[in-house]
DNA sequence: AAGGAAGTTGACAAGATGGTCAACTTTCTT
DNA sequence: AAGAAAGTTGACCATCTTGTCAACTTCCTT
C-alpha cells in the first residue's frame, strides 16, 4: 500500500533491520495522517469526487509529500478500503450459538450502533463504496463477508431449531439489522429530521437500540392473552 | 430549473401562449433526456464525482446542447433532487389511521420495496445526497419530510392508544422500515453477497418483504403458550 | 563527523473539466 | 415564403487536477 520510494528490506547488517526506528515511525505516522484524512474526504465525496489537494490539506501535508507515500489517488482509496474491511464483522461476534438469542441480538445491535457512531467516516466510506457498486472491494473481502454471513446465519438457524426463535430467513434478518443500525450514521441528516433533533445524542442512540431490539425480538402486534 | 435561453412568457398575442407546441415538446423531451441521464450518473458518482460529458453522453446529446438547457452542473443536480423529493413519501400513504396496523405496514413495506426497485437510480441518488450531508436538499423539502413523518408517527401513536400495537417510538420504527427497504437497492452489491445470489430477483424482494413484515409485526422470540 | 537513506517541498507539465460561443439548422408564426 | 425564435454543434478557453521532479533538509548508521 505504500512502498516503492524506499526499499526498506535493504538490511545493511543482516537479520535485524539495521536502523528503521524513527525511520519507520515517520513513515507510519505520515501514512496514518494521510489515510485518516483520506477516509474523511472519500467518505463525503467518493473516489471520483475527492480531490487529493483536499486530502493533503486535511492531513496537514503538502501534496508532494502525499505522493511520496502513495503513487496515486486510487492507491490511497484502496488502502482506506482495505483498512475498514477488517472491522466490518466486529460486532458479529456477539451472534454466537452459546448465547441466548435475546441477549445476543441486543448486544449485537448495541455494538453495531456504537461502532458506526465511533467510526462515522469509515462507515460512510463503506456505504459510499457499496452504493457506487463496490468495484474497489477485493474479491477476497467479499468472499470473507459471504462466509461470515453464512456462518452467522447458521447460528440463527440453530436457534430456530432449538425453538428459541421462530423460523426466519437469517440473511434477510441480518440485512434488517445492518441497515437499521447503520442508518443513523450514514443518513444522519435524514435521521435528525425524522427525530426532529439538531444532532443525534447518546440518548437517541439508546432509544434506537431499544426500539430496534424490542421490535425485532417481540414484534409490534399486541399479543392476545 | 431551465429557463434563461428562451423567454417563453413572451406571449405575442395575449392570454394564450401563441405557439409553443412542438416548441415545448423539444424542450421537455431534451430536458427529460438530460435529467434521466443525470440521475443515473449522479446516483453513482455524486455531484462532484460526476462529469458532465458523461451526462451528455448518456443523454445522447452533445455537451454544448446540455448547456443550452442548463447553465451549470449544480443546476442539473438540483433539478434531479427536486424531482425525486416528490416521490419520497409516496408509500407513506399506506400508513393511515383507518387501516389495521398489520395490513397497513405490510402494504407499506411492499410499496416501499417496489418503489425503490422500480426507481433504483433515484433511490441511490437520494441516498448519495443524504450521505454527503444533504446540503442540496431545500429547507422546504426537509420541512416537508419532517411534517409527514410527524403526521404518520401520530397514526402509530393512535394504534398504540387503541391497543392495536405495543408502545413504540414511531420515528425510530419508521427509520427501521426505511432503512430495511431501501437497503436492497442502495446496497445491492452487499445484499447480493449476503444472500449469495448474483442479482436480486422478484423472489428475493418477496422474501425480503415477508421477513421484514413478519419480524416487525410478530418479533423473533417464540411466544410461550 | 560523514555519507547515504529517508523525507520535504514548491514549481511544473500534461491532460481533464466546466463552461462559452458564434455559426449553423430546424421549427414556428404570420 | 420569409423572418424570427428555438435548437444544435464543434471548437475554444480558462481553470483545475493529477502526478512528477529536482533541489533541499533531516535523520540514521557507522
Amino acid at each position: 500500500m505504500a512502498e516503492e520510494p524506499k526499499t526498506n528490506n535493504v538490511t545493511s547488517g543482516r537479520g535485524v533491520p539495521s536502523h528503521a526506528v524513527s525511520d519507520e515511525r515517520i513513515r507510519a505516522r505520515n501514512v496514518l495522517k494521510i489515510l485518516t484524512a483520506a477516509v474523511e474526504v472519500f467518505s463525503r465525496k467518493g473516489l471520483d469526487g475527492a480531490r487529493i489537494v483536499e486530502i493533503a490539506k486535511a492531513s496537514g501535508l503538502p501534496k508532494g509529500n502525499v505522493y511520496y507515500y502513495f503513487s496515486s489517488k486510487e492507491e490511497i482509496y484502496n488502502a482506506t478500503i482495505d483498512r475498514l474491511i477488517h472491522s466490518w464483522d466486529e460486532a458479529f461476534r456477539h451472534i454466537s450459538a452459546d448465547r441466548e438469542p435475546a441477549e445476543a441480538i441486543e448486544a449485537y445491535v448495541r455494538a453495531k450502533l456504537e461502532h458506526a457512531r465511533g467510526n462515522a467516516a469509515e462507515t460512510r466510506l463503506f456505504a459510499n463504496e457499496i452504493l457506487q457498486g463496490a468495484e474497489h472491494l477485493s474479491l477476497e473481502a467479499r468472499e470473507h463477508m459471504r462466509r461470515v454471513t453464512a456462518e452467522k446465519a447458521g447460528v440463527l438457524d440453530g436457534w430456530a431449531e432449538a425453538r428459541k426463535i421462530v423460523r426466519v430467513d437469517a440473511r434477510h434478518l441480518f440485512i434488517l439489522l445492518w441497515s437499521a443500525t447503520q442508518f443513523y450514521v450514514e443518513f444522519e441528516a435524514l435521521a435528525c429530521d425524522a427525530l426532529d433533533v439538531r444532532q443525534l445524542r447518546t440518548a437517541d442512540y439508546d432509544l434506537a437500540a431499544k426500539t430496534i431490539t424490542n421490535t425485532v425480538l417481540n414484534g409490534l402486534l399486541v399479543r392476545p392473552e
Side-chain angles (χ1 to χ4, degrees), chain A:
Chain A
M1 103 231 262
E3 49 293 296
E4 291 90 345
K6 255 327 99 271
T7 42
N8 278 334
N9 34 4
V10 177
T11 52
S12 55
R14 208 53 181 291
V16 185
S18 57
H19 47 76
V21 180
S22 96
D23 188 18
E24 289 295 355
R25 283 209 182 118
I26 289 173
R27 168 163 287 261
R29 174 166 46 84
N30 282 344
V31 166
L32 186 67
K33 271 186 195 170
I34 294 167
L35 288 182
T36 306
V39 167
E40 197 65 51
V41 176
F42 283 136
S43 82
R44 291 292 187 186
K45 304 294 189 73
L47 172 58
D48 295 299
R51 300 287 113 97
I52 52 128
V53 268
E54 265 192 273
I55 295 176
K57 213 174 292 175
S59 72
L61 266 40
K63 190 184 58 160
N65 208 352
V66 171
Y67 275 99
Y68 175 71
Y69 291 104
F70 295 92
S71 65
S72 71
K73 185 165 77 163
E74 216 174 316
E75 193 181 301
I76 304 180
Y77 187 79
N78 286 331
T80 62
I81 296 281
D82 278 355
R83 277 172 96 228
L84 57 80
I85 280 300
H86 294 306
S87 64
W88 176 77
D89 52 3
E90 222 173 72
F92 244 163
R93 67 176 200 280
H94 293 290
I95 306 296
S96 81
D98 54 2
R99 296 179 78 166
E100 286 304 305
E103 178 225 1
I105 288 173
E106 177 174 359
Y108 172 78
V109 168
R110 286 198 181 278
K112 196 87 182 155
L113 275 171
E114 263 168 44
H115 181 270
R117 193 186 181 192
N119 301 270
E122 286 83 355
T123 299
R124 281 197 310 267
L125 173 53
F126 186 72
N128 217 313
E129 167 62 15
I130 307 289
L131 191 55
Q132 307 199 359
E135 285 173 15
H136 295 267
L137 272 187
S138 68
L139 288 180
E140 303 89 69
R142 296 184 68 163
E143 178 55 31
H144 171 73
M145 299 195 312
R146 265 202 294 270
R147 258 207 326 277
V148 174
T149 304
E151 181 206 323
K152 297 305 182 181
V155 174
L156 281 227
D157 290 343
W159 285 340
E161 207 81 43
R163 299 283 173 158
K164 290 180 171 177
I165 62 173
V166 301
R167 284 231 161 269
V168 67
D169 187 288
R171 293 154 188 270
H172 284 283
L173 187 81
F174 286 147
I175 286 177
L176 177 63
L177 295 176
W178 292 341
S179 62
T181 48
Q182 289 173 200
F183 188 96
Y184 292 88
V185 171
E186 292 163 1
F187 305 124
E188 188 181 11
L190 194 49
C192 283
D193 282 359
L195 300 175
D196 219 348
V197 297
R198 204 158 287 283
Q199 57 173 299
L200 300 183
R201 303 175 170 286
T202 300
D204 297 308
Y205 279 91
D206 283 342
L207 187 50
K210 200 179 134 196
T211 304
I212 296 168
T213 307
N214 276 351
T215 304
V216 167
L217 290 177
N218 299 314
L220 285 178
L221 298 183
V222 171
R223 304 177 179 204
E225 304 282 322

